[in-house]
Amino acid sequence: MSNGSGSMVSRRRLGIELRLLRERTGMSAADAADRLDDLSQTKISRLERGKVQRPRIGDVRALLELYGVTGDDSEALLDLTRGSRGRGWWNSYSDLLPSWFHGYVGLEAEAAELINFEPQLIPGLLQTEEYIRTLYQVLPGSKNDDVERQIKVRLLRQDALHRGNPLKLWAIVDEAALRRPFGGNAVMREQLEHLVEASTWPNVVLQVLPFDAGGHPAVTGGFAVLGFPEASDADVTYLDAQGGLFLDQATDVAWYRNLFDHLRAHATDPDRTRDLVKKISKEFT
């Protein structure tokens, strides 16, 4: 893995391989569990879905033996298992991040490209420190120490845009997100000025969906589609809702890519976007 974390992408790849090997034998997950003493059907299913955070070498070896995988093929998958056991930087913030969001951060850290539509907020990877602080301070029961650590997490995620092989981000933001004042005029002006600057980066494309575009089919909420450098790693759609929702079926991902294309066609082009963001920023005086 490019960032050395192992994490989510490796686990998904391992899970896909294990599922394909099992299906090739004609066994169900229940059949495999019946033949193994230490693995339940639930554990096998979680391994295949990449949900086991630190897969045990012994569990994977037992499955490979059951499926008749030997030699170099077996060693390659065991190496993949070892790589998937690494810990990402976000594990240090496990007390702050919901378990489902760990998966998203892991995928984001290893993605090559990200398309993102945000109807209510500035995209997380483009938020300023003060804007982030305001977002967390308005949450019920927020504590200052936790807020500062949440800010740290968000800023660390933004490193993906500045690494040696930076993440390619194409973001579409509803005009409402630009006009909703978080933290007062100074915070919003700084945030919008940062958006203008970020829109000039070679790996970032920013568009605004203006009010005069009228109704659109993404009014139900924001979403992101993540693509990865390896062709074997299927794209993933993430729906931003409580508990998070990950979709990796090709038909689902294609549907959201088509939805993004629809929004892109109705949004302002990048040059007009910069002009619009500059104009709105001047209103926060």
Side-chain angles (χ1 to χ4, degrees):
M1 295 289 92
S2 59
N3 66 355
S5 67
S7 79
M8 190 67 172
V9 173
S10 295
R11 295 200 301 271
R12 288 181 66 241
R13 189 182 303 163
L14 174 66
I16 290 170
E17 293 292 339
L18 290 175
R19 177 177 56 79
L20 292 174
L21 289 170
R22 175 180 57 75
E23 292 175 346
R24 197 174 300 160
T25 69
M27 284 188 278
S28 66
D31 294 334
D34 286 342
R35 301 190 189 193
L36 296 170
D37 294 332
D38 297 329
L39 280 172
S40 66
Q41 178 182 349
T42 299
K43 181 70 172 291
I44 292 171
S45 296
R46 292 184 70 241
L47 278 168
E48 292 181 355
R49 290 183 288 119
K51 298 297 185 181
V52 178
Q53 186 168 355
R54 292 177 62 80
R56 295 179 56 214
I57 301 296
D59 290 344
V60 175
R61 181 177 282 115
L63 288 170
L64 295 177
E65 290 175 356
L66 177 63
Y67 302 152
V69 181
T70 60
D72 291 344
D73 291 340
S74 175
E75 285 305 311
L77 288 172
L78 291 173
D79 284 344
L80 182 59
T81 305
R82 295 181 187 99
S84 72
R85 291 167 55 82
R87 290 172 60 84
W89 60 261
W90 51 91
N91 292 110
S92 299
Y93 300 88
S94 58
D95 58 319
L96 294 178
L97 299 176
S99 58
W100 52 267
F101 198 61
H102 275 234
Y104 177 79
V105 176
L107 290 172
E108 183 184 74
E110 308 219 20
E113 60 120 14
L114 169 64
I115 60 175
N116 180 205
F117 170 64
E118 290 292 346
Q120 299 293 337
L121 299 172
I122 304 300
L125 294 181
L126 300 176
Q127 292 172 0
T128 62
E129 181 173 337
E130 289 303 317
Y131 185 90
I132 300 167
R133 179 171 286 107
T134 301
L135 293 184
Y136 284 111
Q137 285 177 336
V138 299
L139 293 177
S142 63
K143 300 177 181 178
N144 287 338
D145 289 347
D146 288 347
V147 168
E148 294 307 310
R149 294 180 67 218
Q150 292 279 14
I151 294 169
K152 180 68 171 177
V153 172
R154 186 67 54 90
L155 294 178
L156 284 170
R157 286 174 53 201
Q158 295 179 7
D159 287 346
L161 295 174
H162 308 290
R163 65 197 183 200
N165 188 19
L167 174 71
K168 295 178 181 178
L169 172 65
W170 193 313
I172 299 176
V173 188
D174 195 283
E175 184 176 344
L178 305 181
R179 295 186 178 278
R180 178 167 290 105
F182 276 97
N185 286 354
V187 171
M188 286 304 300
R189 188 166 59 252
E190 178 189 42
Q191 175 60 78
L192 297 185
E193 289 171 353
H194 177 66
L195 280 186
V196 172
E197 178 188 355
S199 72
T200 67
W201 300 343
N203 58 314
V204 173
V205 176
L206 178 67
Q207 291 183 268
V208 171
L209 191 66
F211 289 145
D212 60 20
H216 59 82
V219 291
T220 54
F223 64 91
V225 180
L226 302 104
F228 302 92
E230 298 292 335
S232 57
D233 295 327
D235 293 354
V236 178
T237 294
Y238 170 76
L239 303 184
D240 190 11
Q242 183 62 33
L245 181 60
F246 295 90
L247 306 173
D248 59 6
Q249 294 295 314
T251 52
D252 293 328
V253 174
W255 192 90
Y256 277 95
R257 283 195 177 276
N258 287 335
L259 175 56
F260 190 83
D261 287 342
H262 175 89
L263 296 173
R264 186 173 63 181
H266 288 79
T268 57
D269 64 47
D271 289 334
R272 288 182 57 221
T273 289
R274 274 189 289 274
D275 292 339
L276 177 59
V277 176
K278 289 177 182 177
K279 178 175 179 290
I280 296 174
S281 71
K282 293 176 181 178
E283 298 174 10
F284 289 101
T285 57

